[in-house]
Amino acid sequence: MINITEDNLIQKCSKGDADAFAPLMKIYRQRLFSYLFKLCGNRITAEDQFQETLIKVWRAFPKYDERNKFSSWLFSIAHNSAMDALRKKNLHEFLEYNEESEFETGTDDPHMELINSEAHKIISRAVDQLPIKQREVFLLRVNGEMTFKEIAEATKEPLNTVISHMHYSVKKLRKILRQEYAE
Amino acid sequence: MPNENRMTCEKFNRDLFLYIDTGLPVEQIEFYSEHLKYCSGCRKLLEETEELLALSSTALGEDIGDAKFEFMVSKTLAKKQPGLVKKFFLPEKNKKENSFRLGKIALSSVLVIIAVVVSLLIVKPYAVPAEITNSGMMDWNGEEFNLKISELSDELNGDEWNEEEAELLFINERINQLLK
Ligand SMILES: [Zn+2]
């Protein structure tokens, strides 16, 4: 949903105008942090990766091609950064089999919006249980609002694979939701 | 046509996400849209999936907080964007990255070689800077210099040598006297 203001901010950032960076990132702040938080599995890693992403985006801005969708470019950078960090920290395996949900919706951060509704909690927990590949695709679609073609490019996976990860994720979430509401 | 219908339903199920993304050819989208008008099963699948995605995007909402966000932005902006030189070698979007970068590196190398050759041709070897020639430090010629050196060495070594020679002559004389 690029509007004129956002376009202007993007152009200014491309030209190295530091004043435009904070307002532009503010537009994506919550979506980007949510994505990193759910992908990384904990707030500390998510915050580290949020900082990393900001630095990488700012440094890469002179090379941003305006023909590409900005949000996809931003989330691709975030995705690559986070996945690299997870691989390096060898957390991949841990996340893959992390059945015990580490994610609590409560936080000390007074600015954070708490997730109150029951459905939200169920979805949030269910997403945590997805294997990393499925979670990756699901979050890029939901938080990154990327198309599956864009996700395939960002994750360097074939389009069919990406779509089957999405099918799996949605199927699992629907199943969990149905179970929860049947109880 | 129940069989044909079932096949369409299966295909729609498979193409569901591409349909949502409008990542299908126009005629395919039109075909499915037509199918959705009378197939309640596929319609339900589509609605539920879209609902789930919408719900998820709010369910997965987390925030980092104003203070941390502002701190991180200022930390980011303290780092400069890459300068012109680095920018030149950074991979460009929508281009064959490696060949493009190699091309740039090759071009730069050729330019450097040309610059070295030109500088070798233009700059005279052993040229003495003007400030030295003008200061009088170069106010001599080879002959004068050699003369000066031999004078100096004579001066330095002359006395020593003469003393030694005199001593030798003296000893020689004494030997001759004794032999007589
Ligand atoms: Zn159908």
Side-chain angles (χ1 to χ4, degrees):
Chain A
M1 275 224 264
I2 295 213
N3 52 41
I4 292 166
T5 324
E6 188 181 333
D7 265 343
N8 280 348
L9 292 171
I10 292 168
Q11 274 175 6
K12 284 179 178 172
C13 285
S14 297
K15 288 171 191 155
D17 183 347
D19 293 338
F21 191 64
L24 178 65
M25 284 303 116
K26 217 164 201 166
I27 299 173
Y28 289 97
R29 169 176 132 181
Q30 198 176 337
R31 268 168 61 194
L32 187 65
F33 186 69
S34 306
Y35 168 73
L36 290 169
F37 187 83
K38 293 309 269 183
L39 185 71
C40 296
N42 65 73
R43 184 165 281 271
I44 293 166
T45 313
E47 284 178 358
D48 285 349
Q49 285 313 306
F50 190 82
Q51 174 72 82
E52 271 302 298
T53 304
L54 290 187
I55 292 170
K56 283 177 181 163
V57 166
W58 175 242
R59 291 184 65 85
F61 236 126
K63 285 279 163 179
Y64 168 64
D65 185 333
E66 281 172 30
R67 285 170 295 181
N68 294 328
K69 197 166 98 190
F70 177 73
S71 62
S72 299
W73 181 71
L74 173 70
F75 276 84
S76 295
I77 293 176
H79 168 79
N80 288 334
S81 180
M83 291 309 275
D84 274 353
L86 293 179
R87 255 178 239 122
K88 272 180 204 151
K89 284 184 184 171
N90 220 3
L91 283 173
H92 220 91
E93 225 174 322
F94 159 73
L95 289 165
E96 192 91 44
Y97 302 103
N98 179 24
E99 290 297 313
E100 203 77 45
S101 173
E102 231 208 277
F103 303 86
E104 281 308 320
T105 49
T107 170
D108 318 326
D109 196 330
H111 302 279
M112 205 203 111
E113 276 178 40
L114 294 174
I115 299 159
N116 293 319
S117 103
E118 197 58 32
H120 284 185
K121 280 183 187 168
I122 295 165
I123 288 175
S124 183
R125 274 203 302 272
V127 169
D128 299 339
Q129 288 174 31
L130 295 173
I132 188 79
K133 289 279 173 191
Q134 277 93 46
R135 182 152 22 118
E136 205 183 329
V137 171
F138 186 79
L139 294 174
L140 283 173
R141 180 65 178 82
V142 169
N143 295 124
E145 293 176 10
M146 285 163 86
T147 66
F148 293 102
K149 211 175 148 225
E150 289 164 344
I151 295 170
E153 277 166 25
T155 58
K156 295 179 181 72
E157 296 263 20
L159 182 61
N160 282 342
T161 310
V162 166
I163 288 174
S164 73
H165 285 328
M166 190 66 185
H167 270 292
Y168 178 93
S169 309
V170 168
K171 208 171 148 190
K172 179 149 189 178
L173 293 185
R174 283 160 62 105
K175 194 178 150 197
I176 291 172
L177 276 170
R178 232 178 276 132
Q179 278 171 354
E180 293 279 342
Y181 283 106
E183 277 167 14
Chain B
M1 310 176 280
N3 266 349
E4 202 183 308
N5 250 353
R6 190 147 23 102
M7 268 170 66
T8 307
C9 295
E10 277 169 19
K11 273 169 83 181
F12 179 74
N13 200 321
R14 202 189 55 213
D15 286 343
L16 172 68
F17 293 110
L18 289 176
Y19 179 82
I20 292 174
D21 260 9
T22 57
L24 288 169
V26 185
E27 55 271 29
Q28 192 72 17
I29 292 175
E30 280 169 1
F31 174 75
Y32 284 138
S33 299
E34 201 56 38
H35 173 75
L36 286 165
K37 278 181 192 164
Y38 60 85
C39 179
S40 59
C42 285
R43 211 163 48 233
K44 194 174 171 224
L45 175 73
L46 177 66
E47 281 164 7
E48 278 184 8
T49 305
E50 284 181 325
E51 206 179 314
L52 178 71
L53 293 179
L55 193 63
S56 299
S57 79
T58 48
L60 305 176
E62 294 283 341
D63 199 9
I64 194 162
D66 288 338
K68 270 182 188 159
F69 174 74
E70 265 141 43
F71 173 76
M72 286 182 181
V73 166
S74 58
K75 199 176 159 192
T76 301
L77 295 175
K79 297 186 187 284
K80 281 187 178 158
Q81 284 183 337
L84 276 176
V85 177
K86 222 171 169 189
K87 237 157 104 179
F88 184 70
F89 289 109
L90 268 179
E92 197 118 338
K93 283 255 165 193
N94 294 334
K95 279 181 185 157
K96 284 184 179 174
E97 296 194 357
N98 279 336
S99 61
F100 190 65
R101 283 175 84 188
L102 285 177
K104 279 180 175 179
I105 291 165
L107 176 70
S108 319
S109 310
V110 169
L111 287 174
V112 167
I113 291 167
I114 290 171
V116 168
V117 169
V118 168
S119 72
L120 283 174
L121 289 173
I122 290 172
V123 179
K124 283 178 197 161
Y126 315 121
V128 179
E131 61 268 29
I132 294 180
T133 44
N134 295 341
S135 69
M137 284 171 78
M138 295 290 287
D139 225 6
W140 43 262
N141 55 42
E143 234 170 283
E144 259 179 276
F145 185 64
N146 279 339
L147 200 71
K148 198 90 182 160
I149 288 176
S150 61
E151 271 175 27
L152 278 168
S153 76
D154 283 354
E155 240 172 72
L156 277 170
N157 302 322
D159 292 345
E160 245 175 85
W161 190 82
N162 287 342
E163 259 171 52
E164 263 174 47
E165 200 185 37
E167 216 170 307
L168 277 171
L169 281 171
F170 176 74
I171 292 167
N172 247 357
E173 225 170 278
R174 287 296 298 264
I175 291 169
N176 284 338
Q177 278 176 359
L178 284 169
L179 284 172
K180 276 173 192 171

